[in-house]
Each structure stands twice: as C-alpha cells, then as structure tokens.
Amino acid sequence: MGNHKKGLLKRYICMAAGFVLSLSLFAGCTKGSNQESETSLILGFSQIGSESAWRIGNTKDIEEQAEKYGINLMFENANQKQENQIAAIRRFIAYKVDVIAFSPIVEDGWDNVLTEAKDAGIPVILVDRDISTEKEGLTTCLIGADFYREGVMAGEYLIRKADALGLDHVNIVEITGTENSTPMRQRQAGFADAIANDSRMNILESIDGDFLKSRGAECMRYLLDEYGDDIDVIYSHNDEMTLGALPEIEKAGYAPGKDIIIISIDGGQEAIDVLKEGKINCVVECTPKLGKEVMETALKLKAGEAVEPLIHPSELVFSDEMDTSKIPERGY
Ligand code: AHR
C-alpha cells in the first residue's frame, strides 16, 4: 500500500474510533438517570472554562440537572478561549444535536457559527451571558443573572455604608471581569449609574482582572502602588478576583473590611466565609444554579413549544448590615 493510502486508512480509523468514543460518552451520560422514561434529547453545552468557583458550580449544576431530566449532555469546556467555543458549537452541529446551549465568553463574534446552527435548524439557548448581534433569530432565549441589577445593588450598598460611616469623600477602585463580557459591561454600568448622583463617589480607576484570582492579585498590587492610602473602596466584579486581592491588601499593611471597604459579586462559600470574618463588607449574589431552567427550556424547544425570551433568577445581597451567621451553606 502506498504512503498516501496508508495515511488515509489511518485517518479513517482515528475518525471511527472518535465516533465510537463519542457514542460511548453519550451512553455514559445517560447511565443512572433518575428519570423513569428518558427523552432522546441531546443537548450540546459549551462552557467557558473553569476560571472560578462560580463557573465550577455552574458546570456541576448543568451536569446534575441534565442527569435529573434524562437529557443526554454533550459537554465541552473551552478553557477560556472563544475559538474553542466556536469549534465546539460546530461539532454539535455536525453531530446534529437537538439543542445547543452555551455561555459566550465575550459578546461579539458569534454571527457566523450561530447562522450555521440556525441553517441546520438547531435552536440555541444562551446561558449566563449575552451576545451582541445585528442579526435576528440566532438564539431563542437567555437564561442568566441580571448583571446590571447586581451592579446597582453593589452601588446602593456603598451609598448606605458611606452614610453609616459618615464619609464625605469616597475613592473607589474597580477590578472588572473579562473585557467585552456581559457581566463586566453590565456590572460596571449598574454600579456607575447607582452612584452617579452621589457627589462623594469618585472612581479612581477601573482595571481588567479577567475574573481570575491571579489577575485580582496583580491588579491589587498595581492599584496599591499607584493609589496607596487614597483607596477607600474596592469594587470587584467577582469573588475570585476579590480573594486574590485580599492577601495583597494585608501585605501592604491595610485591614480589608476596616481600612478599605470591600464589595464583591458571586456569593461563593469561600467569599461568604471571609464576609463572616469581616474582611469583605458586601457580597452581591450571582447564582450559578441555572441548570433546571436550561433543561426545561431545552425540552420545550425540542417539543416545538414557545419559551420565555429572558429568564433571570432572583438574587440577594449579603453584607455586614445583617447577621451573617444566618447565611446558609452556598453549595458552590
Ligand atoms: O458570568 C458570570 C461570571 O463569570 C461570574 O461572576 C464569575 O465568577 C464567572 O467567572
């Protein structure tokens, strides 16, 4: 056999092995389902990555709820890369899944691949984050938090805190999430709008921490070098970056929660424990538990039923204004 033919045969064997592996993965996904009569729904889910406790909790919830609803989940983790998400969606289209769901890492750049899904007749659910597009009908709905409202709740807490402490000038540094992502844009806008009419409030700088703990620490080192004693408040767009920033604040000789007001978003267990210790002042909740709504929506889409275009879970604020010992276990 010539080298060319040998190469072709090898490639074919690899493809066949890949196909068998995928089928057995599907089979594995359905095993042990709690559902008595399983649906034949196949859901392709592209997750952003594993950047935070929130994201890991969200993945766990999606997997558990798929199992509970007897849905075959084809799950792909994009490891923080948009191109990996696009490739995953293309694989879902090639496999002819029934429904595609994904959490877009950023808002732009989805038109081509979503047009391919639409042309293939596969409905798409946006989970957690939104996209920005001029095209109509690329997605069916969005299931995720109201990030703008979260920013507003963070700003409103700060105004109450400044009142309680009798502050007449408040210097804020903001550590933002991934640039061009929905939570980054909306948490920034909601917070800015909430404090806009309070002349005490002054944002010294907003810096991109990419939702990562390591970046939170780096940003904090830079901000302390740059502004030092002038910093009154840190508004951080997620717990992970907050938890990265706190040790840097302590190393620089400040007591977080006392010398500097700390406001975070997510409400994962680790941050809530630190809130209870008094080193964080306020945590706005963002629940990762979106799986139930995703599965119910996927089933409706498969059945050709109408779905809600926008589903926001209700969310709370945890802060030093309350008895924090009463906050129940968070589960993420
Ligand atoms: O999109 C939700 C955000 O993404 C969470 O606040 C953050 O922790 C996660 O990485």
Side-chain angles (χ1 to χ4, degrees):
M1 201 185 288
N3 276 345
H4 176 65
K5 275 195 181 157
K6 268 191 211 155
L8 276 180
L9 183 63
K10 210 165 153 195
R11 210 179 313 157
Y12 175 77
I13 291 168
C14 285
M15 278 171 64
F19 185 64
V20 169
L21 181 68
S22 306
L23 282 181
S24 57
L25 280 176
F26 279 163
C29 288
T30 61
K31 240 192 260 165
S33 164
N34 297 337
Q35 201 78 344
E36 277 187 9
S37 64
E38 284 190 357
T39 67
S40 59
L41 195 156
I42 298 173
L43 173 69
F45 188 94
S46 166
Q47 181 60 287
I48 292 173
S50 316
E51 75 279 9
S52 60
W54 189 99
R55 187 67 52 199
I56 292 163
N58 178 248
T59 293
K60 185 168 169 265
D61 186 59
I62 295 286
E63 288 173 344
E64 285 175 1
Q65 292 297 325
E67 167 115 8
K68 188 165 171 214
Y69 280 82
I71 288 176
N72 296 314
L73 182 67
M74 194 177 175
F75 182 90
E76 297 236 12
N77 183 328
N79 295 312
Q80 262 50 59
K81 290 201 167 62
Q82 183 177 27
E83 63 264 34
N84 290 347
Q85 289 203 283
I86 292 173
I89 294 170
R90 292 213 162 101
R91 277 192 292 279
F92 299 152
I93 297 169
Y95 277 118
K96 297 185 170 40
V97 299
D98 297 294
V99 179
I100 291 171
F102 80 114
S103 297
I105 184 162
V106 291
E107 292 193 347
D108 300 318
W110 302 101
D111 279 15
N112 289 346
V113 72
L114 293 181
T115 304
E116 290 165 33
K118 190 179 176 195
D119 291 347
I122 303 175
V124 175
I125 303 172
L126 292 171
V127 182
D128 168 34
R129 301 185 183 180
D130 206 351
I131 59 164
S132 155
T133 179
E134 302 283 289
K135 289 192 164 190
E136 294 274 307
L138 293 184
T139 58
T140 58
C141 61
L142 167 62
I143 300 168
D146 184 344
F147 299 124
Y148 180 84
R149 176 92 196 106
E150 292 171 355
V152 169
M153 291 195 285
E156 288 174 347
Y157 165 81
L158 180 56
I159 292 172
R160 291 195 301 276
K161 184 75 180 174
D163 290 345
L165 295 175
L167 302 179
D168 53 16
H169 192 82
V170 182
N171 282 327
I172 304 157
V173 292
E174 179 180 27
I175 307 179
T176 69
T178 308
E179 207 183 342
N180 191 24
S181 70
T182 314
M184 178 266 152
R185 285 185 170 173
Q186 296 185 0
R187 286 172 183 169
Q188 184 167 56
F191 183 78
D193 288 352
I195 62 169
N197 295 325
D198 190 323
S199 59
R200 296 172 296 178
M201 303 293 163
N202 172 41
I203 298 185
L204 293 170
E205 186 165 342
S206 293
I207 181 170
D208 176 10
D210 205 12
F211 285 127
L212 298 169
K213 191 172 192 175
S214 57
R215 282 285 301 146
E218 261 175 59
C219 291
M220 201 60 242
R221 283 196 291 275
Y222 160 79
L223 292 165
L224 286 162
D225 273 358
E226 198 67 16
Y227 304 102
D229 276 350
D230 289 339
I231 302 175
D232 300 311
V233 178
I234 291 155
Y235 168 45
S236 157
H237 284 199
N238 84 340
D239 288 349
E240 226 60 42
M241 298 187 297
T242 309
L243 294 166
L246 291 181
E248 301 303 321
I249 297 170
E250 289 178 316
K251 271 187 240 160
Y254 301 100
K258 293 189 176 63
D259 300 331
I260 301 179
I261 298 165
I262 312 289
I263 304 174
S264 186
I265 299 185
D266 274 357
Q269 191 60 54
E270 199 179 344
I272 294 298
D273 290 344
V274 180
L275 171 76
K276 289 178 181 178
E277 282 172 39
K279 294 182 179 181
I280 293 178
N281 303 87
C282 173
V283 184
V284 177
E285 181 185 32
C286 178
T287 180
K289 294 178 185 168
L290 306 171
K292 181 175 185 291
E293 298 290 356
V294 172
M295 301 313 147
E296 288 180 357
T297 304
L299 287 166
K300 282 186 189 163
L301 289 169
K302 166 104 180 175
E305 291 169 25
V307 298
E308 289 288 322
L310 182 63
I311 296 175
H312 285 323
S314 60
E315 298 181 321
L316 303 168
V317 176
F318 306 111
S319 78
D320 54 10
E321 300 167 304
M322 64 200 287
D323 179 357
T324 55
S325 69
K326 298 221 158 60
I327 303 173
E329 286 294 301
R330 304 292 300 144
Y332 63 97

Short mmCIF file of all heavy atoms in Angstrom, two decimals, residues 285-328:
data_model
loop_
_atom_site.label_atom_id
_atom_site.label_comp_id
_atom_site.label_asym_id
_atom_site.label_seq_id
_atom_site.Cartn_x
_atom_site.Cartn_y
_atom_site.Cartn_z
N GLU A 285 -25.12 38.51 45.44
CA GLU A 285 -25.26 37.13 44.95
C GLU A 285 -25.40 37.08 43.43
O GLU A 285 -26.07 37.91 42.82
CB GLU A 285 -26.52 36.51 45.57
CG GLU A 285 -26.74 35.07 45.15
CD GLU A 285 -28.04 34.47 45.67
OE1 GLU A 285 -29.04 35.20 45.82
OE2 GLU A 285 -28.06 33.26 45.91
N CYS A 286 -24.73 36.08 42.83
CA CYS A 286 -24.97 35.73 41.43
C CYS A 286 -25.06 34.21 41.42
O CYS A 286 -24.07 33.53 41.64
CB CYS A 286 -23.81 36.20 40.55
SG CYS A 286 -24.01 35.74 38.82
N THR A 287 -26.23 33.68 41.22
CA THR A 287 -26.35 32.22 41.36
C THR A 287 -25.88 31.47 40.10
O THR A 287 -26.26 31.85 38.99
CB THR A 287 -27.78 31.78 41.73
OG1 THR A 287 -27.79 30.34 41.83
CG2 THR A 287 -28.81 32.20 40.69
N PRO A 288 -25.07 30.43 40.27
CA PRO A 288 -24.68 29.61 39.11
C PRO A 288 -25.71 28.52 38.81
O PRO A 288 -25.56 27.77 37.86
CB PRO A 288 -23.36 28.99 39.58
CG PRO A 288 -23.47 28.91 41.07
CD PRO A 288 -24.37 30.03 41.51
N LYS A 289 -26.76 28.46 39.64
CA LYS A 289 -27.71 27.33 39.50
C LYS A 289 -28.76 27.63 38.43
O LYS A 289 -29.88 28.02 38.73
CB LYS A 289 -28.34 27.03 40.86
CG LYS A 289 -27.27 26.51 41.81
CD LYS A 289 -27.79 26.22 43.18
CE LYS A 289 -26.59 25.82 44.06
NZ LYS A 289 -26.90 25.78 45.46
N LEU A 290 -28.34 27.45 37.20
CA LEU A 290 -29.19 27.77 36.05
C LEU A 290 -29.65 26.49 35.32
O LEU A 290 -30.40 26.54 34.36
CB LEU A 290 -28.41 28.66 35.07
CG LEU A 290 -27.82 29.96 35.67
CD1 LEU A 290 -26.89 30.64 34.67
CD2 LEU A 290 -28.92 30.90 36.11
N GLY A 291 -29.15 25.34 35.79
CA GLY A 291 -29.35 24.07 35.07
C GLY A 291 -30.81 23.68 34.90
O GLY A 291 -31.21 23.22 33.83
N LYS A 292 -31.61 23.86 35.94
CA LYS A 292 -33.01 23.43 35.88
C LYS A 292 -33.73 24.17 34.74
O LYS A 292 -34.41 23.55 33.91
CB LYS A 292 -33.68 23.73 37.22
CG LYS A 292 -35.12 23.34 37.34
CD LYS A 292 -35.58 23.59 38.78
CE LYS A 292 -36.99 23.11 39.03
NZ LYS A 292 -38.00 23.89 38.35
N GLU A 293 -33.55 25.49 34.70
CA GLU A 293 -34.20 26.30 33.66
C GLU A 293 -33.69 25.90 32.27
O GLU A 293 -34.45 25.86 31.31
CB GLU A 293 -33.94 27.80 33.88
CG GLU A 293 -34.49 28.35 35.18
CD GLU A 293 -36.01 28.43 35.21
OE1 GLU A 293 -36.64 28.11 34.19
OE2 GLU A 293 -36.56 28.78 36.27
N VAL A 294 -32.39 25.62 32.19
CA VAL A 294 -31.81 25.24 30.88
C VAL A 294 -32.44 23.95 30.39
O VAL A 294 -32.86 23.85 29.22
CB VAL A 294 -30.26 25.09 30.98
CG1 VAL A 294 -29.69 24.52 29.69
CG2 VAL A 294 -29.61 26.43 31.32
N MET A 295 -32.55 22.95 31.28
CA MET A 295 -33.10 21.65 30.86
C MET A 295 -34.58 21.77 30.48
O MET A 295 -35.01 21.21 29.47
CB MET A 295 -32.92 20.59 31.96
CG MET A 295 -31.48 20.36 32.36
SD MET A 295 -30.37 20.16 30.95
CE MET A 295 -28.86 20.89 31.59
N GLU A 296 -35.32 22.53 31.30
CA GLU A 296 -36.76 22.66 30.99
C GLU A 296 -36.96 23.40 29.67
O GLU A 296 -37.85 23.07 28.89
CB GLU A 296 -37.47 23.37 32.16
CG GLU A 296 -37.56 22.44 33.36
CD GLU A 296 -38.25 23.04 34.58
OE1 GLU A 296 -38.63 24.22 34.53
OE2 GLU A 296 -38.39 22.31 35.58
N THR A 297 -36.12 24.39 29.43
CA THR A 297 -36.22 25.14 28.17
C THR A 297 -35.83 24.26 26.99
O THR A 297 -36.49 24.29 25.93
CB THR A 297 -35.32 26.40 28.24
OG1 THR A 297 -35.71 27.16 29.38
CG2 THR A 297 -35.44 27.25 26.99
N ALA A 298 -34.79 23.46 27.15
CA ALA A 298 -34.36 22.56 26.05
C ALA A 298 -35.48 21.59 25.70
O ALA A 298 -35.76 21.33 24.52
CB ALA A 298 -33.09 21.82 26.45
N LEU A 299 -36.15 21.06 26.72
CA LEU A 299 -37.25 20.11 26.47
C LEU A 299 -38.39 20.79 25.71
O LEU A 299 -38.97 20.22 24.80
CB LEU A 299 -37.76 19.52 27.79
CG LEU A 299 -36.82 18.49 28.43
CD1 LEU A 299 -37.22 18.20 29.88
CD2 LEU A 299 -36.80 17.19 27.62
N LYS A 300 -38.69 22.04 26.11
CA LYS A 300 -39.76 22.77 25.40
C LYS A 300 -39.37 23.00 23.95
O LYS A 300 -40.19 22.86 23.04
CB LYS A 300 -39.99 24.13 26.07
CG LYS A 300 -40.80 24.06 27.33
CD LYS A 300 -41.10 25.46 27.84
CE LYS A 300 -41.72 25.41 29.21
NZ LYS A 300 -41.67 26.68 29.90
N LEU A 301 -38.13 23.38 23.71
CA LEU A 301 -37.68 23.64 22.34
C LEU A 301 -37.79 22.38 21.49
O LEU A 301 -38.24 22.42 20.35
CB LEU A 301 -36.25 24.19 22.34
CG LEU A 301 -36.10 25.62 22.86
CD1 LEU A 301 -34.63 25.98 23.08
CD2 LEU A 301 -36.74 26.63 21.89
N LYS A 302 -37.38 21.28 22.09
CA LYS A 302 -37.45 20.00 21.35
C LYS A 302 -38.91 19.67 21.00
O LYS A 302 -39.21 19.13 19.94
CB LYS A 302 -36.82 18.90 22.20
CG LYS A 302 -37.13 17.50 21.73
CD LYS A 302 -35.99 16.84 21.02
CE LYS A 302 -36.37 15.44 20.58
NZ LYS A 302 -35.49 14.72 19.82
N ALA A 303 -39.81 20.04 21.93
CA ALA A 303 -41.24 19.75 21.70
C ALA A 303 -41.90 20.80 20.81
O ALA A 303 -43.10 20.75 20.56
CB ALA A 303 -41.97 19.67 23.04
N GLY A 304 -41.11 21.79 20.37
CA GLY A 304 -41.65 22.83 19.48
C GLY A 304 -42.50 23.86 20.21
O GLY A 304 -43.28 24.58 19.59
N GLU A 305 -42.34 23.92 21.55
CA GLU A 305 -43.14 24.89 22.33
C GLU A 305 -42.43 26.23 22.41
O GLU A 305 -41.21 26.31 22.28
CB GLU A 305 -43.36 24.35 23.76
CG GLU A 305 -44.26 23.15 23.82
CD GLU A 305 -44.24 22.50 25.20
OE1 GLU A 305 -43.94 23.20 26.19
OE2 GLU A 305 -44.50 21.28 25.26
N ALA A 306 -43.22 27.28 22.73
CA ALA A 306 -42.64 28.62 22.90
C ALA A 306 -41.87 28.67 24.22
O ALA A 306 -42.22 27.97 25.17
CB ALA A 306 -43.76 29.65 22.93
N VAL A 307 -40.81 29.48 24.27
CA VAL A 307 -40.04 29.62 25.52
C VAL A 307 -39.96 31.09 25.90
O VAL A 307 -40.08 31.97 25.05
CB VAL A 307 -38.62 29.01 25.39
CG1 VAL A 307 -38.68 27.52 25.11
CG2 VAL A 307 -37.79 29.73 24.31
N GLU A 308 -39.69 31.33 27.20
CA GLU A 308 -39.52 32.71 27.68
C GLU A 308 -38.25 33.28 27.06
O GLU A 308 -37.20 32.64 27.12
CB GLU A 308 -39.31 32.69 29.20
CG GLU A 308 -40.52 32.34 30.01
CD GLU A 308 -41.54 33.46 30.00
OE1 GLU A 308 -41.13 34.63 30.04
OE2 GLU A 308 -42.74 33.13 29.92
N PRO A 309 -38.30 34.49 26.48
CA PRO A 309 -37.07 35.03 25.87
C PRO A 309 -35.98 35.39 26.88
O PRO A 309 -34.80 35.38 26.56
CB PRO A 309 -37.55 36.29 25.13
CG PRO A 309 -38.90 36.59 25.68
CD PRO A 309 -39.47 35.34 26.27
N LEU A 310 -36.38 35.69 28.13
CA LEU A 310 -35.38 36.11 29.13
C LEU A 310 -35.78 35.56 30.50
O LEU A 310 -36.89 35.83 30.97
CB LEU A 310 -35.33 37.64 29.18
CG LEU A 310 -34.32 38.27 30.13
CD1 LEU A 310 -32.90 37.90 29.75
CD2 LEU A 310 -34.48 39.79 30.14
N ILE A 311 -34.87 34.81 31.11
CA ILE A 311 -35.16 34.30 32.47
C ILE A 311 -34.03 34.74 33.40
O ILE A 311 -32.86 34.37 33.20
CB ILE A 311 -35.27 32.76 32.48
CG1 ILE A 311 -36.48 32.31 31.63
CG2 ILE A 311 -35.39 32.23 33.91
CD1 ILE A 311 -36.64 30.81 31.47
N HIS A 312 -34.34 35.57 34.39
CA HIS A 312 -33.38 36.00 35.41
C HIS A 312 -33.71 35.30 36.72
O HIS A 312 -34.86 35.41 37.19
CB HIS A 312 -33.51 37.51 35.69
CG HIS A 312 -32.94 38.40 34.63
ND1 HIS A 312 -31.79 38.12 33.93
CD2 HIS A 312 -33.34 39.63 34.20
CE1 HIS A 312 -31.54 39.11 33.09
NE2 HIS A 312 -32.47 40.03 33.23
N PRO A 313 -32.74 34.65 37.37
CA PRO A 313 -33.02 34.12 38.71
C PRO A 313 -33.07 35.29 39.71
O PRO A 313 -32.49 36.35 39.45
CB PRO A 313 -31.80 33.23 39.00
CG PRO A 313 -30.71 33.79 38.15
CD PRO A 313 -31.36 34.40 36.94
N SER A 314 -33.77 35.11 40.84
CA SER A 314 -33.77 36.19 41.83
C SER A 314 -32.50 36.07 42.67
O SER A 314 -32.00 34.97 42.92
CB SER A 314 -35.02 36.12 42.70
OG SER A 314 -35.03 34.89 43.36
N GLU A 315 -31.97 37.23 43.08
CA GLU A 315 -30.67 37.22 43.78
C GLU A 315 -30.68 38.16 44.99
O GLU A 315 -31.42 39.14 45.02
CB GLU A 315 -29.56 37.61 42.79
CG GLU A 315 -29.48 36.58 41.67
CD GLU A 315 -28.42 36.84 40.62
OE1 GLU A 315 -28.19 38.00 40.24
OE2 GLU A 315 -27.82 35.87 40.18
N LEU A 316 -29.82 37.85 45.96
CA LEU A 316 -29.81 38.56 47.24
C LEU A 316 -28.52 39.37 47.41
O LEU A 316 -27.59 39.24 46.62
CB LEU A 316 -29.88 37.55 48.40
CG LEU A 316 -31.09 36.60 48.41
CD1 LEU A 316 -30.86 35.49 49.42
CD2 LEU A 316 -32.36 37.39 48.73
N VAL A 317 -28.48 40.15 48.49
CA VAL A 317 -27.23 40.82 48.87
C VAL A 317 -26.87 40.33 50.27
O VAL A 317 -27.73 40.32 51.16
CB VAL A 317 -27.43 42.36 48.92
CG1 VAL A 317 -26.15 43.05 49.41
CG2 VAL A 317 -27.80 42.89 47.54
N PHE A 318 -25.63 39.91 50.47
CA PHE A 318 -25.14 39.52 51.79
C PHE A 318 -24.15 40.60 52.23
O PHE A 318 -23.23 40.94 51.47
CB PHE A 318 -24.43 38.17 51.73
CG PHE A 318 -25.26 37.07 51.12
CD1 PHE A 318 -24.92 36.54 49.88
CD2 PHE A 318 -26.39 36.59 51.77
CE1 PHE A 318 -25.68 35.53 49.30
CE2 PHE A 318 -27.16 35.58 51.20
CZ PHE A 318 -26.81 35.05 49.97
N SER A 319 -24.33 41.11 53.48
CA SER A 319 -23.42 42.20 53.87
C SER A 319 -23.30 42.31 55.38
O SER A 319 -24.00 41.62 56.13
CB SER A 319 -23.93 43.53 53.31
OG SER A 319 -24.99 44.00 54.11
N ASP A 320 -22.41 43.22 55.79
CA ASP A 320 -22.21 43.46 57.23
C ASP A 320 -23.39 44.22 57.84
O ASP A 320 -23.36 44.56 59.02
CB ASP A 320 -20.89 44.20 57.47
CG ASP A 320 -20.76 45.48 56.65
OD1 ASP A 320 -21.76 45.93 56.03
OD2 ASP A 320 -19.64 46.04 56.61
N GLU A 321 -24.43 44.47 57.05
CA GLU A 321 -25.64 45.09 57.61
C GLU A 321 -26.55 44.02 58.23
O GLU A 321 -27.57 44.35 58.81
CB GLU A 321 -26.44 45.78 56.50
CG GLU A 321 -25.68 46.88 55.78
CD GLU A 321 -26.39 47.32 54.50
OE1 GLU A 321 -26.65 46.47 53.64
OE2 GLU A 321 -26.67 48.52 54.35
N MET A 322 -26.19 42.74 58.05
CA MET A 322 -27.07 41.67 58.52
C MET A 322 -26.33 40.74 59.47
O MET A 322 -25.10 40.86 59.64
CB MET A 322 -27.58 40.87 57.30
CG MET A 322 -26.46 40.16 56.55
SD MET A 322 -26.89 39.70 54.87
CE MET A 322 -28.00 38.37 55.15
N ASP A 323 -27.07 39.80 60.06
CA ASP A 323 -26.43 38.78 60.89
C ASP A 323 -25.88 37.70 59.93
O ASP A 323 -26.63 36.82 59.48
CB ASP A 323 -27.47 38.20 61.85
CG ASP A 323 -26.88 37.10 62.72
OD1 ASP A 323 -25.69 36.77 62.52
OD2 ASP A 323 -27.62 36.59 63.58
N THR A 324 -24.58 37.79 59.64
CA THR A 324 -24.00 36.91 58.61
C THR A 324 -23.95 35.44 59.06
O THR A 324 -23.84 34.55 58.23
CB THR A 324 -22.58 37.37 58.21
OG1 THR A 324 -21.79 37.45 59.39
CG2 THR A 324 -22.61 38.71 57.50
N SER A 325 -24.06 35.21 60.37
CA SER A 325 -24.01 33.81 60.85
C SER A 325 -25.25 33.04 60.35
O SER A 325 -25.27 31.81 60.37
CB SER A 325 -23.92 33.76 62.38
OG SER A 325 -25.15 34.22 62.92
N LYS A 326 -26.27 33.76 59.91
CA LYS A 326 -27.51 33.09 59.46
C LYS A 326 -27.48 32.72 57.97
O LYS A 326 -28.44 32.12 57.46
CB LYS A 326 -28.72 33.99 59.72
CG LYS A 326 -28.94 34.31 61.19
CD LYS A 326 -30.43 34.25 61.55
CE LYS A 326 -30.67 34.02 63.03
NZ LYS A 326 -30.11 35.03 63.91
N ILE A 327 -26.40 33.11 57.27
CA ILE A 327 -26.36 32.79 55.82
C ILE A 327 -26.18 31.29 55.65
O ILE A 327 -25.21 30.72 56.16
CB ILE A 327 -25.21 33.56 55.11
CG1 ILE A 327 -25.35 35.07 55.32
CG2 ILE A 327 -25.16 33.21 53.62
CD1 ILE A 327 -24.18 35.90 54.80
N PRO A 328 -27.11 30.63 54.96
CA PRO A 328 -26.99 29.17 54.81
C PRO A 328 -25.83 28.77 53.88
O PRO A 328 -25.31 29.61 53.14
CB PRO A 328 -28.33 28.75 54.21
CG PRO A 328 -29.04 30.00 53.80
CD PRO A 328 -28.29 31.19 54.31
#
